[in-house]
Amino acid sequence: MAFTFFFRDLHTIELTVKHLLPFISGRNKVKIWDAGCAMGPEPYTIAIVLAENMGRFAFRNIVFDATDIDESDTFGKIVTEGVYPEDELKRIPADIFSKYFAPAEKPGHFIIDETVRTRMQFRKHDLLSFQSIGEDYSLIVCKNVLLHFHPAQRIEVIKMFHQSLAPGGYFMSEQTQKLPEELSHLFTKVADDAQLYKKI
């Protein structure tokens, strides 16, 4: 399980969205894979930042595949329903919170706006199977997961991500997880202050 929270590492997310928008402009379907999504704060944060920058009409072309090994069998329900306790939402800027969250039926909980929630689909997936869940992704995000793998496993997982990306697609990793030297021929680093790479 990857530990994360809403609007974590916002600088990297905003930088990624800035690079991604010209790449996906005009596409009828844009696929994004968040691998190791935990209970959903990260993919929902990326989705909200995209919605803010794309407008709601264009945002409807986005499809998120949020995956996790989910050994507890609890993440899928949480991610799909998009309902979170208020304590987990306190880092969200007030204007964004009021725009994208509404009180849920469960006291002390809030539900994410339907426009964003319906773009998200969850499935269980073990990255160490080295089997992709799909292809033609414009963006693959894998943060706070690769550091738990052995170097050889990391290389195989990132190779699988490379094969899953559309030509010119983007791969975003955590700041501490630099691309293995063995894979430098597969990606171009596009930002000095973030682990953001473009598929060669």
Side-chain angles (χ1 to χ4, degrees):
M1 170 184 169
F3 169 76
T4 189
F5 49 81
F6 281 91
F7 280 69
R8 181 182 188 183
D9 198 9
L10 184 58
H11 167 74
T12 299
I13 291 172
E14 289 179 333
L15 190 63
T16 300
V17 168
K18 178 182 176 182
H19 281 275
L20 185 65
L21 287 178
F23 179 70
I24 63 176
S25 178
R27 297 191 180 211
N28 292 326
K29 185 177 182 181
V30 177
K31 296 171 62 180
I32 296 174
W33 178 8
D34 191 306
C37 68
M39 290 182 284
E42 181 177 82
Y44 273 126
T45 298
I46 297 169
I48 289 170
V49 174
L50 276 168
E52 282 292 285
N53 284 273
M54 294 179 73
R56 297 213 167 191
F57 180 77
F59 180 72
R60 289 188 176 93
N61 295 327
I62 300 280
V63 176
F64 272 85
D65 285 320
T67 68
D68 201 285
I69 195 167
D70 190 18
E71 293 171 326
S72 64
D73 280 327
T74 57
F75 298 171
K77 185 174 187 293
I78 294 169
V79 173
T80 303
E81 292 181 352
V83 175
Y84 295 90
E86 186 175 10
D87 284 349
E88 295 181 12
L89 308 174
K90 291 181 177 177
R91 291 182 175 88
I92 300 174
D95 57 331
I96 296 293
F97 181 76
S98 62
K99 186 174 180 179
Y100 290 96
F101 291 82
E105 292 181 6
K106 187 176 181 180
H109 287 65
F110 288 80
I111 186 168
I112 296 175
D113 182 80
E114 183 181 16
T115 306
V116 175
R117 201 171 65 247
T118 54
R119 301 294 88 211
M120 196 74 57
Q121 50 193 22
F122 176 88
R123 69 175 94 175
K124 290 185 70 169
H125 179 254
D126 181 1
L127 286 171
L128 293 182
S129 70
F130 307 129
Q131 299 297 311
S132 177
I133 63 163
E135 57 186 15
D136 201 34
Y137 286 97
S138 296
L139 170 66
I140 295 177
V141 179
C142 187
K143 299 178 68 187
N144 310 300
V145 179
L146 294 173
L147 73 166
H148 298 293
F149 297 161
H150 298 304
Q153 293 172 326
R154 282 198 289 271
I155 288 170
E156 291 306 312
V157 170
I158 296 172
K159 280 182 181 177
M160 181 259 292
F161 288 153
H162 180 269
Q163 292 170 356
S164 305
L165 283 167
Y170 289 90
F171 168 56
M172 183 222 295
S173 187
E174 65 259 30
Q175 190 60 24
T176 58
Q177 193 59 59
K178 294 180 172 40
L179 190 74
E181 183 64 31
E182 296 92 329
L183 304 179
S184 60
H185 63 291
L186 298 180
F187 294 92
T188 299
K189 196 167 190 280
V190 298
D192 292 333
D193 55 348
Q195 299 303 321
L196 178 62
Y197 301 89
K198 188 177 180 70
K199 176 177 178 174
I200 296 175

